[in-house]
């Protein structure tokens, strides 16, 4: 099996680990790279594979000089993405992904070498392993600091977005490993805010909304660790997309109207609570964005009896508390009809409890909620007073950030 | 009354941009997951072995004991092969370009009047008068290597007597060390096959291509 060649490739692999950083070392690396590229592009299939593995190993180096030494190989790595050997393609993609992270010089070369159209062609592969590797490489490319200006526009102009969304369609053909990669890719694109309207036009909101429903179902079926890896980027994508102007003004398909999303979200919040509490803020972020401007999503919260489960999250952390209280403010702000359904109930006792905390932000948000509650549901004031509400307020009347609001509430309570 | 001072709450959707610290926790988990994935990829898996078998393609005698190796061999060597000169290419796209530019007389004729040499980079639609111009474009615009293996310039051949033809062909085949390494048919390494075999192969090879040379000669003479 080309014994000499194999030994040669093997020693190349070990070589660079030796003396790092010296000028001779780099020159030697250059010479070795010429040999390696020669092996990579030979017709000796097994040598080719060996050379590709060697290159892949080099790509793991944390030194950008080593990544840059691999520059002569990149045009070939890209060329081989159009070949038919799926194992080889997979290896090339992981190598490219690693090189992309390590060096801006590599990225500066890969773009004119046509990496975007090449990936757009390669994403049509039916092989799951290839797709997962492609998603990985793309996700690395999208995280580059120059991505918003130099990379994302050409990706959005290609057929990649449509294919990515297709790979995120829920159903029997959805592969979780593949979906994870492309969900993260979408997240990096969306949070860069280059042209999210394009993604919305491609149906991103409805696809991702359906995917959320699917995830909630999956989470109830299996105890699968790992679903949060997919849930996290999907939640981020939807949350950010909901802030786009189109979503508010244009009706129909482009908006997320499906109220099952609220129920699904609560199932995910429950799941996070048990498996990964650090992701609770991400789920609550979506709930905020859903309820902020939408009376119907607020109604869903109420009619699905989700206020109490929401309140149960208060003790988790200050960040979570602030978000829970903000969401409740979203509901209360919608007016008397909404506040009527917030009280009586567990809300007031929970608020009285939060007033005994010391975190300024948490208390501040509680004060805002109290204000709305008193405004639209004045009967609550009496109960507030009976349950030592004034004493709770007094604790904060010296705090600079809270003073004015504490005073205002005290006045309302005493007059009411 | 809702937003009356000193109260300032206003319901609004929140947007988090790249790099926002809100994403830290989720990002860490993603990073840890990837590290696991990459470790798995780097680990060359124990290939499932099968009883040794030979490649069935005529003239190839490589032996394999793992199906993945055979798959790669097949695609690399027997996949996109030029039926004229037996060169193997990594993709159908490059093979098509090669056949057009090396073996299509109509292409030669047309290229005298219009730009026919298409840029080989995926997504680029530029065309050029000569392969040299195309190479310049690929090097300057697309940062491709000057010696890109799949864009060898066609060597001009001396006009024909069959003897000279065969020699010119041998030149084309085994020209620079690099080229022969890349383009030669896979030489059998199994001791089972007798050593004269490669020479026999080469003669058959040149025999098939001589008519092409004659055609060129005829066209040139007209």
């Amino acid at each position: 099996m080309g014994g000499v060649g194999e030994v040669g490739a093997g020693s190349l692999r070990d070589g660079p680990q030796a003396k790092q950083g010296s000028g001779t070392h780099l020159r030697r690396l250059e010479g070795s790279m010429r040999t390696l590229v020669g092996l990579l592009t030979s017709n000796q299939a097994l040598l080719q594979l060996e050379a590709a593995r060697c290159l892949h190993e080099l790509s793991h180096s944390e030194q950008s000089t080593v990544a840059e030494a691999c520059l002569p190989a990149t045009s070939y790595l890209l060329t081989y993405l159009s070949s038919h050997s799926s194992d080889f393609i997979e290896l090339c993609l992981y190598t490219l992904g690693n090189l992309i992270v390590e060096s801006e010089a590599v990225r500066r070369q890969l773009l004119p070498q046509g990496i975007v159209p090449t990936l757009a062609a390669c994403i049509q592969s039916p092989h799951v392993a290839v797709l997962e590797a492609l998603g990985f490489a793309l996700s690395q490319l999208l995280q580059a600091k120059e991505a918003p200006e130099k990379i994302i526009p050409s990706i959005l102009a290609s057929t990649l977005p449509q294919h990515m969304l297709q790979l995120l369609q829920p159903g029997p053909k959805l592969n979780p490993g593949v979906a994870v990669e492309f969900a993260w890719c979408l997240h990096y694109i969306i949070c860069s805010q280059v042209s999210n309207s394009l993604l919305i036009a491609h149906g991103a909101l409805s696809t991702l909304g359906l995917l959320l429903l699917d995830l909630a179902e999956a989470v109830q079926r299996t105890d699968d660790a790992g679903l949060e890896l997919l849930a996290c980027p999907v939640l981020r994508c939807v949350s950010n997309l909901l802030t786009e102007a189109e979503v508010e003004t244009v009706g129909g398909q482009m908006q997320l109207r499906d109220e099952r999303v609220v129920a699904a979200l609560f199932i995910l919040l429950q799941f996070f609570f048990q498996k990964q509490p650090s992701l609770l803020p991400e789920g609550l972020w979506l709930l905020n964005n859903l309820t902020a401007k939408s009376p119907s999503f607020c109604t869903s919260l109420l009619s699905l009896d989700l206020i109490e489960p929401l309140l149960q999250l208060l003790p988790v952390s200050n960040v979570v508390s602030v978000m829970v209280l903000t969401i409740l403010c979203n509901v209360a702000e919608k007016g008397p009809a909404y506040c009527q359904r917030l009280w009586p109930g567990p809300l007031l006792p929970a608020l009285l409890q939060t007033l005994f905390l010391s975190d300024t932000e948490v208390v501040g948000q509680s004060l805002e909620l109290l204000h709305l509650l008193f405004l639209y549901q004045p009967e609550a004031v009496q109960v507030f007073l009976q349950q030592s509400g004034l004493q709770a307020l007094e604790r904060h009347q010296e705090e600079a950030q809270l003073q004015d609001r504490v005073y205002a509430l005290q006045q309302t309570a005493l007059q009411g | 009354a809702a937003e009356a001072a000193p109260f300032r709450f206003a319901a609004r959707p929140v947007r988090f941009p790249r790099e926002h610290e809100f994403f830290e926790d989720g990002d860490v988990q993603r990073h840890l997951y990837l590290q696991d994935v990459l470790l798995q990829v780097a680990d060359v898996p124990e290939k499932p072995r099968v009883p040794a078998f030979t490649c069935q393609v005529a003239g190839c005698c490589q032996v394999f004991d793992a199906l993945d190796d055979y798959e790669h061999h097949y695609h690399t060597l027997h996949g996109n092969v030029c039926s004229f000169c037996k060169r193997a290419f990594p993709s159908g796209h490059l093979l098509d370009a090669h056949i057009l530019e090396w073996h299509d007389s109509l292409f030669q004729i047309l290229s005298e009047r219009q730009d026919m040499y298409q840029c080989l980079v995926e997504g680029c639609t530029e065309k050029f008068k000569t392969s040299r111009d195309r190479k310049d474009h690929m090097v300057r615009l697309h940062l491709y290597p000057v010696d890109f293996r799949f864009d060898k310039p066609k060597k001009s051949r001396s006009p024909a007597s069959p003897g000279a033809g065969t020699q010119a062909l041998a030149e084309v085949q085994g020209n620079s060390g690099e080229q022969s390494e890349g383009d030669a048919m896979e030489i059998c390494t199994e001791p089972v096959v007798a050593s004269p075999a490669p020479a026999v192969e080469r003669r058959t090879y040149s025999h098939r291509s001589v008519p092409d040379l004659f055609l060129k000669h005829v066209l040139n003479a007209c």
Side-chain angles (χ1 to χ4, degrees):
Chain A
M1 269 202 288
V4 172
E6 227 182 40
V7 168
S11 69
L12 272 169
R13 220 202 308 252
D14 301 326
Q17 265 75 14
K19 295 165 262 165
Q20 305 254 4
S22 66
T24 357
H25 158 64
L26 287 172
R27 275 198 297 284
R28 204 179 299 152
L29 195 51
E30 266 172 52
S32 306
M33 188 53 59
R34 259 194 295 280
T35 312
L36 194 55
V37 170
L39 291 169
L40 182 70
T41 56
S42 73
N43 275 352
Q44 298 266 18
L46 296 171
L47 273 183
Q48 224 187 15
L49 271 173
E50 190 60 33
R53 285 196 194 110
C54 183
L55 206 53
H56 176 246
E57 216 165 293
L58 282 173
S59 74
H60 279 299
S61 160
E62 275 160 18
Q63 295 197 315
S64 62
T65 46
V66 175
E68 274 146 40
C70 297
L71 280 167
T74 61
S75 61
Y76 297 108
L77 290 172
L78 286 178
T79 302
Y80 287 129
L81 295 188
S82 320
S83 72
H84 294 287
S85 180
S86 57
D87 282 348
F88 196 56
I89 296 175
E90 193 190 336
L91 197 53
C92 291
L93 283 167
Y94 279 112
T95 306
L96 280 166
N98 292 337
L99 291 175
I100 282 168
V101 168
E102 292 305 327
S103 156
E104 189 175 350
V106 166
R107 300 193 294 266
R108 268 205 304 271
Q109 177 166 287
L110 282 173
L111 287 165
Q113 284 183 341
I115 187 173
V116 175
T118 305
L119 291 177
C122 191
I123 200 173
Q124 298 175 58
S125 165
H127 298 281
V128 162
V130 167
L131 291 172
E132 208 174 314
L134 196 155
F136 164 74
L138 186 56
S139 73
Q140 305 299 76
L141 194 58
L142 290 166
Q143 286 178 88
K145 60 174 165 48
E146 74 275 16
E149 304 93 57
K150 305 237 173 92
I151 300 172
I152 293 178
S154 43
I155 286 181
L156 286 172
S158 77
T159 54
L160 279 167
Q162 294 99 298
H163 286 115
M164 284 195 268
L165 285 170
Q166 232 164 28
L167 292 166
L168 288 166
Q169 299 271 8
K173 287 203 276 182
L174 181 75
N175 180 286
V178 172
V180 164
E181 296 310 311
F182 290 109
W184 281 95
C185 287
L186 267 183
H187 161 58
Y188 296 130
I189 294 176
I190 290 171
C191 70
S192 301
Q193 274 139 32
V194 174
S195 178
N196 289 336
S197 45
L198 190 104
L199 290 170
I200 293 176
H202 281 310
L205 264 178
S206 72
T207 300
L208 293 170
L210 287 170
L211 186 53
L212 268 177
L213 298 183
D214 207 54
L215 270 169
E217 228 181 296
V219 142
Q220 291 180 299
R221 265 186 283 123
T222 67
D223 208 17
D224 200 3
L227 281 171
E228 74 274 13
L229 293 161
L230 178 54
C232 174
V234 173
L235 288 169
R236 293 179 179 189
C237 288
V238 180
S239 302
N240 262 333
L241 283 178
L242 285 174
T243 66
E244 297 293 328
E246 287 80 8
V247 174
E248 290 193 41
T249 55
V250 180
Q253 284 176 319
M254 293 188 191
Q255 282 181 287
L256 193 62
R257 280 190 193 282
D258 195 339
E259 280 156 8
R260 294 175 296 169
V261 168
V262 176
L265 186 48
F266 266 85
I267 293 170
L268 289 171
L269 286 172
Q270 183 99 1
F271 174 68
F272 289 160
F273 185 55
Q274 286 162 1
K275 300 280 165 137
Q276 198 62 261
S278 61
L279 288 180
L280 278 170
E282 309 237 9
L284 291 170
W285 172 31
L286 178 56
L287 194 53
N288 174 71
N289 285 10
L290 284 172
T291 53
K293 298 287 191 187
S294 165
S296 60
F297 278 125
C298 291
T299 309
S300 305
L301 255 187
L302 293 164
S303 46
L304 290 169
D305 270 322
L306 295 170
I307 302 298
E308 182 140 18
L310 202 53
L311 290 170
Q312 282 167 6
L313 296 174
L314 281 171
V316 172
S317 69
N318 288 334
V319 170
V320 169
S321 288
V322 171
M323 296 182 88
V324 166
L325 293 165
T326 306
I327 290 161
L328 291 166
C329 285
N330 289 350
V331 177
E333 190 213 41
K334 301 292 180 293
Y338 294 80
C339 281
Q340 267 167 32
R341 298 175 68 180
L342 285 175
W343 187 84
L347 179 58
L348 198 52
L351 274 177
L352 284 161
Q353 284 210 337
T354 57
L355 286 177
F356 278 96
L357 297 172
S358 52
D359 184 85
T360 316
E361 256 201 272
V362 175
V363 175
Q365 207 62 41
S366 311
L367 298 176
E368 297 285 344
L369 186 50
L370 269 176
H371 161 68
L372 290 167
L373 192 60
F374 290 171
L375 183 65
Y376 295 128
Q377 194 69 357
E379 300 91 340
V381 180
Q382 273 309 306
V383 183
F384 178 73
L385 289 170
Q386 284 161 15
Q387 303 204 344
S388 321
L390 279 178
Q391 287 91 307
L393 281 176
E394 263 162 39
R395 303 178 80 228
H396 304 289
Q397 57 192 22
E398 302 304 313
E399 177 61 54
Q401 280 190 28
L402 302 172
Q403 279 175 334
D404 296 338
R405 291 180 282 178
V406 166
Y407 182 73
L409 282 173
Q410 284 169 330
Q411 295 305 300
T412 310
L414 291 169
Q415 285 158 20
Chain B
E3 227 176 306
F7 297 99
R8 48 221 191 204
F9 176 76
R12 53 180 186 86
V14 172
R15 169 185 284 192
F16 288 120
R18 275 168 87 93
E19 309 293 333
H20 197 281
E21 60 180 356
F22 183 79
F23 292 140
E24 230 171 85
D25 282 322
D27 284 353
V28 165
Q29 282 163 41
R30 160 70 175 168
H31 181 74
L32 291 171
Y33 166 75
L34 274 183
Q35 285 196 320
D36 271 343
V37 167
L38 295 176
L39 271 176
Q40 279 172 37
V41 171
D43 247 342
V44 180
E46 200 36 62
K47 282 185 274 205
R49 306 270 163 190
V50 298
F53 62 96
T54 316
C55 177
Q56 289 301 297
V57 173
C60 182
C61 41
Q62 274 282 326
V63 177
F64 300 91
D65 65 353
L67 290 174
D68 285 345
D69 290 347
Y70 178 63
E71 193 202 340
H72 183 61
H73 160 86
Y74 185 88
H75 285 310
T76 304
L77 229 76
H78 307 307
N80 298 295
V81 174
C82 175
S83 50
F84 297 96
C85 65
K86 303 303 171 206
R87 272 181 185 78
F89 291 86
S91 68
H93 171 229
L94 286 171
L95 172 62
D96 291 343
H98 161 82
I99 292 177
L100 255 184
E101 293 168 21
W102 284 50
H103 302 299
D104 187 334
S105 346
L106 184 60
F107 178 92
Q108 296 305 324
I109 295 169
L110 285 174
S111 70
E112 278 155 35
R113 291 151 213 245
Q114 41 185 287
D115 295 342
M116 294 286 287
Y117 287 88
Q118 166 108 48
C119 176
L120 297 175
V121 174
E122 183 92 44
C124 182
T125 51
E126 296 280 326
K127 293 194 179 173
F128 301 87
K129 191 117 187 58
T130 65
S131 72
R132 181 59 197 271
D133 289 343
R134 179 194 43 208
K135 175 177 285 303
D136 279 345
H137 162 85
M138 284 174 65
V139 168
R140 273 182 303 107
L141 202 78
H142 296 296
L143 308 184
Y144 260 57
V146 171
D147 59 350
F148 186 61
R149 183 172 288 279
F150 306 112
D151 179 25
K152 296 277 182 217
K154 213 166 151 191
K155 300 272 188 266
S156 58
R157 293 174 197 155
S158 46
S161 59
T166 319
Q167 207 165 44
L169 200 67
E171 204 185 65
V172 169
Q173 271 175 249
N175 204 351
S176 59
E178 261 187 271
Q179 194 163 10
S180 63
E181 188 187 293
D183 304 339
M185 277 174 59
E186 185 111 321
I187 297 166
C188 304
T189 52
E190 280 302 299
V192 172
V193 181
S195 37
V200 170
E201 292 300 322
R202 210 163 258 159
R203 239 181 282 140
T204 319
Y205 194 105
S206 59
H207 177 68
R208 258 184 233 149
S209 300
V210 165
D212 190 42
L213 265 180
F214 270 115
L215 185 62
K216 278 228 58 108
H217 172 62
V218 165
L219 281 177
N220 283 338
C222 288

